[in-house]
Amino acid sequence: MSERRKARPATEVAHLGRDPHKHLGAINTPVYRASTMLFERVADLEAAERGEYPGISYGLHGLPTVTDLQSAVATLEGGYAALAVPSGLAAITLALLAVTRAGDHVLVTDSVYGPTRRFCDQQLTRFGVDVTYYDPLIAGGIEREIRPATKVVFVESPGSLSFEIQDVPAIAAAAHARGALVLIDNTWATPLGFAAFAHGADISLQASTKYLGGHSDVMNGIIVCSQATYPRLYKLWTDMGVSASSDDCFLALRGLRTLAVRLERHTRSALAIAEWLRQRAEVAEVIFPALPGARGHDLWKRDFTGACGLFGVILHPVAKARVDAMLDGLRLFKLGWSWGGFESLIIPAHPERIRTATRWEATGPYLRLHVGLEDTQDLIADLEDGLARLAS
Ligand SMILES: *Cc1c(COP(=O)(O)O)cnc(C)c1O
C-alpha cells in the first residue's frame, strides 16, 4: 500500500520504500531470496489458507525487496498501490488483460510503443477484445471514438518514438464520462515528470527497465493502480505468477535513489544538444516537447514537471548511405533500442511503418537520440563529426 505523501520528489526518492530497522539497520532493503516460507504453528498455516496470515506465505508474493519497490513507486506517483513485474511490456500486457474481457473495445493511441501494439493486435484480439487506434493529438475528440463497449483508453504521452504530447486531462474526462478506464504508459516522463493520477489516469505503467533502473542492467516493470482498479490487477498478478524477482527490484530501488539528479542532468544535456541540433543546416526539425518552440511544448509545459534525455530529429532529405555513415562512425552515441541508462544512444526510427490511424509526415530521415550522462560538449563533438560524415 502506498505511504503518505510528505516531501518533494527529490527527497522522496531518497527515503521511500525502505525501513532500515527492519533489516538490522541496513540502509537498503536487502535482496530476499526465498521460495518456501516456514510457518511456526499449524494455526499460522491455516490462517494463511484463509488469507488471514499477516506474514509472507510464499516467495512469489510479498518479499520485502519487492513490496518496498512497489510502495515507493505507488507513493511517488500518487497512486494507491503498485505491482512489480519482470518487464515494462509485462506491466502493459497484464494491465490490459486485467481490465478487459471478450466483447470489450479498447482505444489505443497510434503513437503507442510497438510491442504494445503487437500485443493488442495479436493477443488481446484472440480473447475477443476489439482494438482501434486513434490520433494521439485527438484530445477531447476521443469522445467520438468511444463506443458503448469501450472499456479502456490507452495513452502514451509523449509517444516514445514520435513524441506527441497527448491532452491527457481532456481524454480522461471523455473516457470517464463514458465509463472507460484510462491506462497510461508513463515511461518517458517517469512519476517525477508527469503526475499520471492527478491528470486522470486509472492505471500508470512504467518500464522501470528505463530511467528508474537507469543503468541498463535490469529488466523491470511497475503497474501503479488506483484504489478501484487495484483488486483486479492484484488478482491477475497473483493468478499469473508474474512477480518480479527480488534481485531486479533491488536494482530498481537502487536506481530510484538517484532518479531525480539523473533526470535533471539528462534533461539539461538533452536540451543543450537539441538547441545545438536545431541550428544545424542538416536538421529539418527537432521533436522534443521540453524544448521551447518545439511541437507539443505548450501542453508539456501545462501538464509536466520534468522531461528526460529522449527525443527525435528529422533530417533534411539525404541518402540512407550517408545516414548509415554518420551513425556507424559515432564514438559515444551507440546503436541500441532501449534507453534510460547512463549511456547515449541513437537509432534510425520509422514511425511510418507501424501507424494505422494517422500518417507520420517527415521530409527526411528520422533519428531518435538518447542523451546519456556523458559530458555535453563531448556528445556535441561526436554529433558534429557525425554530421560532417552525413554531408560528405
Ligand atoms: C521499453 C519500453 C517499454 C517496455 O519495457 P521493457 O522493460 O523493455 O519490456 C514500454 N513502454 C515504453 C514507452 C518503452 O520505451
Side-chain angles (χ1 to χ4, degrees):
M1 299 299 119
S2 86
E3 301 163 32
R4 195 163 55 83
R5 189 176 191 95
K6 42 191 162 338
R8 289 170 207 280
T11 306
E12 287 196 307
V13 296
H15 290 274
L16 288 173
R18 58 192 186 83
D19 191 350
H21 297 294
K22 281 189 185 161
H23 308 286
L24 310 175
I27 288 171
N28 295 292
T29 307
V31 174
Y32 278 82
R33 292 173 179 274
S35 53
T36 299
M37 310 300 285
L38 301 179
F39 301 92
E40 282 193 80
R41 293 179 303 272
V42 172
D44 293 332
L45 204 141
E46 289 170 349
E49 283 169 353
R50 293 192 305 272
E52 293 166 6
Y53 180 62
I56 303 164
S57 52
Y58 192 49
L60 195 54
H61 309 118
L63 294 178
T65 331
V66 180
T67 53
D68 281 355
L69 174 66
Q70 292 176 161
S71 70
V73 178
T75 304
L76 197 61
E77 195 152 33
Y80 171 72
L83 296 162
V85 291
S87 71
L89 186 57
I92 293 162
T93 60
L94 207 72
L96 282 166
L97 280 177
V99 297
T100 53
R101 63 176 64 205
D104 287 351
H105 173 239
V106 171
L107 280 164
V108 179
T109 176
D110 208 26
S111 54
V112 78
Y113 176 63
T116 303
R117 179 188 290 262
R118 197 177 59 212
F119 174 80
C120 288
D121 291 346
Q122 296 178 18
Q123 303 300 335
L124 262 194
T125 51
R126 232 161 40 86
F127 296 104
V129 176
D130 204 8
V131 180
T132 310
Y133 295 91
Y134 66 88
D135 181 349
L137 302 178
I138 199 167
I142 192 80
E143 198 185 356
R144 291 188 295 276
E145 306 290 322
I146 298 175
R147 311 173 187 169
T150 306
K151 293 294 159 55
V152 172
V153 179
F154 194 98
V155 169
E156 182 180 319
S157 179
S160 60
L161 206 53
S162 43
F163 305 103
E164 295 89 344
I165 295 283
Q166 298 192 246
D167 191 337
V168 181
I171 290 171
H176 292 158
R178 303 282 294 276
L181 296 172
V182 176
L183 272 56
I184 179 161
D185 183 336
N186 200 20
T187 301
W188 184 89
T190 85
L192 293 186
F194 185 72
F197 291 91
H199 288 93
D202 298 286
I203 297 175
S204 174
L205 307 155
Q206 186 69 214
S208 22
T209 302
K210 308 285 168 60
Y211 282 113
L212 225 139
H215 295 74
S216 305
D217 55 6
V218 61
M219 301 293 306
N220 191 250
I222 300 176
I223 306 164
V224 184
C225 302
S226 63
Q227 188 164 3
T229 56
Y230 181 67
R232 275 183 278 177
L233 260 299
Y234 182 78
K235 181 80 172 71
L236 189 66
W237 181 77
T238 307
D239 290 350
M240 298 277 283
V242 286
S243 176
S245 75
S246 288
D247 298 72
D248 291 344
C249 290
F250 180 89
L251 288 173
L253 272 169
R254 188 162 74 167
L256 179 71
R257 304 302 170 212
T258 56
L259 182 62
V261 290
R262 283 187 288 107
L263 280 176
E264 212 176 289
R265 171 60 184 264
H266 281 292
T267 303
R268 189 159 20 98
S269 197
L271 281 169
I273 289 169
E275 197 63 71
W276 179 83
L277 280 167
R278 185 146 75 170
Q279 314 295 331
R280 295 286 309 201
E282 301 87 345
V283 170
E285 185 179 352
V286 174
I287 306 185
F288 187 19
L291 184 69
R295 40 172 122 162
H297 181 68
D298 291 345
L299 265 188
W300 176 83
K301 210 167 152 183
R302 187 191 75 183
D303 291 347
F304 286 64
T305 50
C308 66
L310 193 76
F311 66 91
V313 176
I314 301 175
L315 300 173
H316 286 302
V318 58
K320 179 180 185 302
R322 301 317 320 148
V323 180
D324 291 357
M326 170 188 173
L327 301 186
D328 285 345
L330 291 170
R331 298 178 307 275
L332 300 175
F333 281 90
K334 302 293 187 188
L335 295 166
W337 281 114
S338 193
W339 44 275
F342 55 83
E343 79 289 6
S344 290
L345 300 165
I346 192 164
I347 51 163
H350 303 279
E352 71 280 4
R353 289 186 188 164
I354 55 173
R355 294 193 165 223
T356 54
T358 54
R359 280 170 59 88
W360 169 253
E361 310 276 1
T363 46
Y366 183 54
L367 304 175
R368 189 183 73 181
L369 281 73
H370 177 252
V371 173
L373 299 176
E374 302 94 331
D375 181 276
T376 310
Q377 291 311 314
D378 287 344
L379 293 175
I380 288 177
D382 196 25
L383 291 173
E384 189 163 30
D385 294 347
L387 290 176
R389 284 190 298 279
L390 183 82
S392 70

